[in-house]
Amino acid sequence: MYAWEQIQQTVDYIDKHLGEELAIDNLAEMASLSPFYYQRLFKRLVKKPVGEYIKLRRMGKATEALLQKDSRILDIALELGFTSHEHFTRTFKETFGMTPEEYRRNPTTLNRMTKPELSLNYVLVGEGVPLVTEGIVIEVKREQKEEAVRYTGFEKKMPVAFLDGIGCDSGVDPLGQLWDDLHEAKDKIPGLMESGEEAGVTLPCSEEGFFRYFAGARIRPDAAALGYSQWELPAGEYVVCSFEAENFMMLVTDALYKALNYVYGVWLPGHGLQTEGFCAELYASHTMETTSMEIWMKLITDREEKME
């Protein structure tokens, strides 16, 4: 058994027993490691100390449970291993900056600790071969875009540290408001395509330490939407990573985080491919009904490398 498999075994166990006391000595024994080496290896692979990971996973589960409004908050707290409503509320507010009651009254997109699937760091599949992991199905292939596609919407500058924290750090998603602004403005933007296709794009920024994020809807080639940001998905050859999840919230948090890590950390290097500096998330619609999406990354060809 590889070391990552030993850690994954305990990660799986933790998720199934979040409402119970989880002692590090017991988890280390399960992984056939000393507590010292278990904690070192866990932090290296999962990016969080064991105790903090358990707390953040409990909070992640809480965000899902709180959306079920027929469940009492005290019952949710007890099911997740908290001894009181007060302890649960304090931990939730420390994690997300709001109380469970506030979140339930006004649900918002939250970044949260994702349960890692460590096999995605090591398993390389061929083009067009589906990779099935817990909760998601990923497939990567190459595709030719014959014509450019235009989008219009809103743009926001973000610190690069935000990207590093996706899937690990917890709190309100600062990009959620950008999508809300887009959906509120769609009825006023002229020239939008009836398909409703939307794109979220990570773009380079001229200011060091930052990137730009664009959220937009597809617009007709001949349309001009003045007063809004514009972005074009250029024609060319792309690596397309498609995946789906059980629901929209898992799609744009857990599944998106795992897919990005896999395609950039394993699939592209494993196939000796490089892509340009932007990454486009394409949705039929960035709404609660959506459970699948695609990531488009434009390949750098030999000809382009020579021109540079």
Side-chain angles (χ1 to χ4, degrees), residues 226-288:
L226 301 178
Y228 297 94
S229 296
Q230 311 287 321
W231 182 77
E232 182 176 275
L233 182 72
E237 187 179 9
Y238 285 82
V239 168
V240 180
C241 176
S242 58
F243 55 97
E244 51 190 275
E246 295 177 8
N247 55 59
F248 178 74
M249 292 305 296
M250 288 192 68
L251 180 72
V252 298
T253 53
D254 298 20
L256 178 57
Y257 164 73
K258 290 177 181 178
L260 286 171
N261 271 2
Y262 179 69
V263 74
Y264 278 109
V266 176
W267 203 90
L268 288 172
H271 289 275
L273 299 173
Q274 291 184 305
T275 60
E276 294 189 10
F278 71 86
C279 174
E281 311 155 18
L282 300 189
Y283 305 83
S285 178
H286 191 275
T287 59
M288 287 294 182

Side-chain angles (χ1 to χ4, degrees), residues 65-92:
L66 287 166
L67 296 179
Q68 309 302 318
K69 297 192 177 181
D70 56 343
S71 300
R72 295 192 310 158
I73 292 179
L74 176 58
D75 292 336
I76 294 172
L78 295 175
E79 287 173 6
L80 290 173
F82 291 88
T83 55
S84 67
H85 187 295
E86 291 75 18
H87 184 202
F88 175 68
T89 296
R90 184 171 63 254
T91 305
F92 193 93

Side-chain angles (χ1 to χ4, degrees), residues 150-153 182 186 192 196-199 214-219:
R150 292 180 60 216
Y151 297 87
T152 188
L182 173 67
K186 282 184 76 172
L192 292 186
E197 180 184 303
E198 296 175 351
F214 169 87
R218 187 170 177 178
I219 191 171

Side-chain angles (χ1 to χ4, degrees), residues 188-232:
K188 307 169 191 174
I189 301 176
L192 292 186
M193 301 284 282
E194 293 183 3
S195 66
E197 180 184 303
E198 296 175 351
V201 191
T202 303
L203 298 160
C205 181
S206 57
E207 187 174 350
E208 187 176 353
F210 290 87
F211 71 97
R212 295 176 294 131
Y213 187 85
F214 169 87
R218 187 170 177 178
I219 191 171
R220 293 197 308 267
D222 59 344
L226 301 178
Y228 297 94
S229 296
Q230 311 287 321
W231 182 77
E232 182 176 275

Side-chain angles (χ1 to χ4, degrees), residues 17-306:
H17 298 84
L18 285 172
E20 305 171 16
E21 183 178 351
L22 294 162
I24 288 177
D25 286 354
N26 293 339
L27 295 170
E29 183 179 357
M30 186 183 303
S32 301
L33 295 168
S34 71
F36 174 77
Y37 282 110
Y38 172 72
Q39 290 180 83
R40 286 189 62 180
L41 189 57
F42 188 100
K43 185 177 180 180
R44 176 180 153 196
L45 294 177
V46 180
K47 301 180 182 178
K48 294 287 183 184
V50 182
E52 186 179 359
Y53 172 79
I54 293 170
K55 181 192 78 171
L56 293 178
R57 280 302 295 157
R58 284 173 172 157
M59 290 295 95
K61 288 289 186 180
T63 63
E64 300 173 17
L66 287 166
L67 296 179
Q68 309 302 318
K69 297 192 177 181
D70 56 343
S71 300
R72 295 192 310 158
I73 292 179
L74 176 58
D75 292 336
I76 294 172
L78 295 175
E79 287 173 6
L80 290 173
F82 291 88
T83 55
S84 67
H85 187 295
E86 291 75 18
H87 184 202
F88 175 68
T89 296
R90 184 171 63 254
T91 305
F92 193 93
K93 187 168 185 179
E94 288 173 353
T95 304
F96 298 113
M98 66 184 77
T99 66
E101 290 83 359
E102 290 169 337
Y103 173 70
R104 172 169 272 183
R105 283 196 303 268
N106 185 28
T108 185
T109 305
L110 297 174
N111 291 330
R112 60 190 186 181
M113 185 75 218
T114 296
K115 175 180 176 287
E117 189 66 38
L118 299 177
S119 63
L120 291 178
N121 296 332
Y122 303 98
V123 177
L124 178 65
V125 298
E127 185 175 340
V129 178
L131 178 61
V132 181
T133 66
E134 186 175 326
I136 63 171
V137 180
I138 299 174
E139 184 174 336
V140 189
K141 60 183 179 181
R142 279 185 263 198
E143 191 165 324
Q144 188 72 29
K145 177 68 70 175
E146 300 298 339
E147 296 181 354
V149 180
R150 292 180 60 216
Y151 297 87
T152 188
F154 298 91
E155 189 177 295
K156 182 182 180 70
K157 184 175 73 172
M158 294 287 297
V160 171
F162 171 79
L163 295 176
D164 297 334
I166 292 176
C168 297
D169 294 342
S170 299
V172 175
D173 182 359
L175 299 178
Q177 186 59 53
L178 201 65
W179 284 105
D180 290 342
D181 292 344
L182 173 67
H183 293 150
E184 289 175 10
K186 282 184 76 172
D187 291 340
K188 307 169 191 174
I189 301 176
L192 292 186
M193 301 284 282
E194 293 183 3
S195 66
E197 180 184 303
E198 296 175 351
V201 191
T202 303
L203 298 160
C205 181
S206 57
E207 187 174 350
E208 187 176 353
F210 290 87
F211 71 97
R212 295 176 294 131
Y213 187 85
F214 169 87
R218 187 170 177 178
I219 191 171
R220 293 197 308 267
D222 59 344
L226 301 178
Y228 297 94
S229 296
Q230 311 287 321
W231 182 77
E232 182 176 275
L233 182 72
E237 187 179 9
Y238 285 82
V239 168
V240 180
C241 176
S242 58
F243 55 97
E244 51 190 275
E246 295 177 8
N247 55 59
F248 178 74
M249 292 305 296
M250 288 192 68
L251 180 72
V252 298
T253 53
D254 298 20
L256 178 57
Y257 164 73
K258 290 177 181 178
L260 286 171
N261 271 2
Y262 179 69
V263 74
Y264 278 109
V266 176
W267 203 90
L268 288 172
H271 289 275
L273 299 173
Q274 291 184 305
T275 60
E276 294 189 10
F278 71 86
C279 174
E281 311 155 18
L282 300 189
Y283 305 83
S285 178
H286 191 275
T287 59
M288 287 294 182
E289 292 72 34
T290 302
T291 58
S292 63
M293 62 177 289
E294 296 176 338
I295 302 171
W296 284 61
M297 298 144 288
K298 191 172 185 294
L299 279 170
I300 297 176
T301 64
D302 292 339
R303 182 181 175 185
E304 288 172 330
E305 288 177 339
K306 290 175 183 177

